[in-house]
Amino acid sequence: MRVGIVGILHESNTFIRSPTTLEHFFADFHEGSAVRYHFCNSPHEIGGFFAGLKDEDIEGVPLFVARATPHGVISAEAALAFQERLPRELSIAGHLDGLLVALHGAAVSQWERDFDGFLLKEMRRRLRDAAPLIATLDLHANLSQQMVDAADALIGYRTNPHIDQRERGIDAARLMARTIRGEVKPTMAAAFPGVAINIEKQLTAESPCNQLLGLADEMLHEPMVLSNSVLLGFPYADVAEMGSSVVVVTDRQPEIAQQLTQHLAGFLEANRHRFVGEYLNAKQAVQQALELDGPVLLLDMGDNVGGGSPGDGTGIAWELIRRAKKSKQTTGAFVCL
């Protein structure tokens, strides 16, 4: 058996004016055997794809992987290039029994706002009908119904910071193997509660996220549940899909999958007040930092480089300077722009 491996990953910050171009992707572009060389032993989900398929005695067929660091929306030129490359690479690969895809879930292009959904739809259209399509998503995905409709299963990271990528790739590969062998038939449902969570409240090891994920973990003990995911959303994107969502994949039980998504979504809705961030301004944050022992890291969440922002905000720096002038004492601070 042969399973194709593809990765097109980008987290698009729509508030940045300059687009993400092909040149940005070429800085981290791999095709054919280079994909295996670069990712096989990595902590990335693509490394998990290779490991999981090997354990199941299935050949992993690498097509190509393109990644770019978070930045503005993907240019029309880059989006078109990926649209044209996909059918060509699938044709070169020959017969495939399935396709494993690594996406971010918050990719936006200049002509397709739901770019991840568009890519999955294109892949689904070009795969033979019986071949399963399973994709991994970042926990910060802005899920769309188009993504759900195009894939047999979607599997999201469960940790923020993201330390479980390889494990989720292995999960996807194992589910692919079971599906190809006819042991299971994934049926997926999603729910989209009207909740948008600020990055400040998306730490999965702390309450209330850890309680929500605890519910999801308990659900995995049900024999008909193959997978579930809680996607907290990417707030630096002005798109219709922006917000939190939940996904449940069952074995031939679409009604149960839908019921279970409502159970997880219900927790989000009932506890929405607990997901409201503590929005400190620079003056308040610096004051709190000065009252603590040892080095303290201050992050301007409105200028989050991990979300594509340029990292040139001076609000914290100006507050440190203001205090130093007022007290005529240095604060022992380092500011990186």
Side-chain angles (χ1 to χ4, degrees), residues 120 124 133-137 143-156 175 185-192 224 226-229 231 246-261:
L120 285 172
R124 177 73 277 164
L133 171 59
I134 297 176
T136 52
L137 297 174
L143 187 68
S144 71
Q145 189 62 48
Q146 183 174 219
M147 297 182 209
V148 177
D149 292 342
D152 292 273
L154 298 170
I155 298 177
L175 181 55
K185 181 176 175 56
T187 54
M188 179 167 55
F192 305 87
M224 80 287 290
L226 301 175
S227 174
N228 63 23
S229 302
L231 305 169
V246 294
V247 173
V248 176
V249 183
T250 60
D251 182 14
R252 301 178 175 89
Q253 299 288 337
E255 296 84 5
I256 292 178
Q258 190 62 59
Q259 292 171 12
L260 293 177
T261 62

Side-chain angles (χ1 to χ4, degrees), residues 27-224:
D28 195 2
F29 180 85
H30 314 274
E31 58 185 339
S33 59
V35 174
R36 188 186 304 275
Y37 176 81
H38 188 80
F39 288 99
C40 192
N41 297 314
S42 76
H44 196 270
E45 60 262 41
I46 294 174
F49 290 168
F50 284 115
L53 292 175
K54 182 179 180 181
D55 289 344
E56 300 290 345
D57 199 25
I58 295 174
E59 179 186 357
V61 183
L63 280 66
F64 72 97
V65 175
R67 298 190 296 177
T69 55
H71 193 56
V73 299
I74 299 169
S75 69
E77 177 192 20
L80 180 61
F82 291 130
Q83 182 189 16
E84 293 176 343
R85 176 176 282 273
L86 273 172
R88 184 167 67 248
E89 294 291 343
L90 287 169
S91 176
I92 294 172
H95 173 82
L96 295 174
D97 296 290
L99 191 62
L100 285 171
V101 186
L103 298 173
H104 183 284
V108 181
S109 76
Q110 290 178 331
W111 58 279
E112 283 286 347
R113 301 291 281 180
D114 176 18
F115 193 55
D116 293 295
F118 169 78
L119 290 171
L120 285 172
K121 185 177 179 180
E122 283 291 292
M123 294 179 205
R124 177 73 277 164
R125 185 167 68 89
R126 297 179 183 281
L127 273 178
R128 60 187 183 85
D129 291 340
L133 171 59
I134 297 176
T136 52
L137 297 174
D138 192 291
L139 176 139
H140 294 115
N142 288 326
L143 187 68
S144 71
Q145 189 62 48
Q146 183 174 219
M147 297 182 209
V148 177
D149 292 342
D152 292 273
L154 298 170
I155 298 177
Y157 306 162
R158 299 180 93 81
T159 61
N160 181 39
H162 308 319
I163 58 174
D164 67 328
Q165 294 165 285
R166 186 177 177 91
E167 287 79 3
R168 299 293 76 79
I170 291 173
D171 287 347
R174 287 174 176 167
L175 181 55
M176 174 64 74
R178 296 183 68 193
T179 303
I180 292 174
R181 290 195 293 256
E183 298 171 8
V184 297
K185 181 176 175 56
T187 54
M188 179 167 55
F192 305 87
V195 179
I197 303 175
N198 186 278
I199 295 291
E200 196 268 341
K201 278 292 184 179
Q202 290 194 6
L203 185 60
T204 54
E206 293 186 357
S207 179
C209 281
N210 61 354
Q211 292 166 287
L212 173 59
L213 286 161
L215 284 177
D217 289 342
E218 289 176 12
M219 194 177 289
L220 293 177
H221 295 301
E222 297 293 334
M224 80 287 290

